[in-house]
Amino acid sequence: MVFILPAVSNQGGAMATSVTEAGMSSNGYPADLDVDLPERNSRLLAVLFFIFIKLLLSTPHLIVLMVYGFVAAIVAWIAQWAVLFTGSYPRGLHNFALGFLRWSWRLTAWYLGLTDRYPPFSGSDSEHPARADCMVPESSSRLLALIRIVPIIGFLMIPHIVVLTVLSFALVVVVVLAQLAAVFVGRFPEGLASFTIGFNRWSHRVECYTSGLVDRYPPFRMDS
């Protein structure tokens, strides 16, 4: 999921390029996201956050992402049938699903003030400060594919959903405080940024696991 959209969680305009290295992050988990924080944040954008103009500016992305997310969910489900019969997640479908998560994260990062660069209308891999990736697995679990097709996978994610729901209340407070800091000092405080990024990183990993982009159960942690 992701704060504006569940990372719910990042599937557009876009055949995204997936990562194929042995691991994405320092702890070896194959899905990760991050953002390059600016040295200074726009006070104007922080003010626009409070008067909901920033939400209005997000509307074109939200409309496209609603359609993209629906299609990406279907694509992810179809991909599980491919995994069930071939043991492999088709790269093109993997890239399409990942593109949605990338696009969602870039919009989320901009809306929350982690970056001032307006997100592109694309889920492809780019030089945008907000990055979300997921390693393409060499092979995927047929058993997990069957669980996702049924779907029973949601029951396995209940512990994560409970923790993330609780943390989301703290996230709202953190984001409001961070925007106030940006208005008065022109900076998103690092500690608040770390929590915000960590929450979305956790959500991204849960979404990647749920949609079958990775088979390794996500850790209960925010760090990369």
Side-chain angles (χ1 to χ4, degrees):
M1 250 188 331
V2 288
F3 184 66
I4 298 177
L5 300 170
V8 57
S9 23
N10 111 233
Q11 333 170 358
M15 286 288 139
T17 303
S18 300
V19 179
T20 56
E21 291 86 44
M24 285 274 320
S25 56
S26 59
N27 67 13
Y29 195 79
D32 198 14
L33 60 72
D34 211 336
V35 61
D36 296 325
L37 299 173
E39 293 184 5
R40 303 289 294 177
N41 288 89
S42 168
R43 287 182 167 89
L44 174 60
L45 286 176
V47 171
L48 294 182
F49 173 87
F50 285 108
I51 60 176
F52 302 106
I53 298 299
K54 209 171 183 184
L55 180 60
L56 182 63
L57 295 175
S58 303
T59 302
H61 285 277
L62 293 172
I63 292 173
V64 176
L65 283 170
M66 281 193 295
V67 178
Y68 193 178
F70 177 75
V71 176
I74 295 175
V75 165
W77 187 76
I78 292 173
Q80 296 311 298
W81 285 98
V83 171
L84 187 63
F85 289 106
T86 69
S88 178
Y89 200 121
R91 181 179 292 268
L93 302 187
H94 189 281
N95 291 342
F96 185 87
L98 176 57
F100 171 74
L101 296 179
R102 281 192 178 130
W103 192 337
S104 298
W105 168 231
R106 289 168 184 162
L107 177 60
T108 299
W110 176 79
Y111 181 75
L112 298 184
L114 294 168
T115 178
D116 290 338
R117 188 186 299 182
Y118 193 72
F121 282 82
S122 171
S124 62
D125 192 12
S126 72
E127 296 183 359
H128 191 273
R131 305 174 301 281
D133 277 300
C134 180
M135 185 179 78
V136 179
E138 293 183 4
S139 61
S140 298
S141 166
R142 287 182 166 89
L143 175 60
L144 286 175
L146 181 61
I147 291 174
R148 292 182 178 106
I149 289 170
V150 174
I152 302 174
I153 198 73
F155 292 103
L156 300 180
M157 305 317 298
I158 289 176
H160 285 279
I161 293 171
V162 170
V163 176
L164 286 171
T165 299
V166 173
L167 290 176
S168 67
F169 293 104
L171 180 65
V172 173
V173 176
V174 164
V175 169
V176 170
L177 292 176
Q179 296 305 304
L180 286 172
V183 170
F184 291 106
V185 303
R187 190 78 171 87
F188 199 121
E190 279 192 26
L192 303 185
S194 295
F195 181 86
T196 305
I197 295 168
F199 176 89
N200 284 280
R201 177 180 290 121
W202 190 337
S203 299
H204 173 68
R205 290 170 175 166
V206 167
E207 182 65 24
C208 286
Y209 179 80
T210 303
S211 59
L213 297 178
V214 297
D215 285 342
R216 180 175 164 187
Y217 195 75
F220 285 82
R221 57 193 299 173
M222 291 184 169
D223 60 325
S224 65

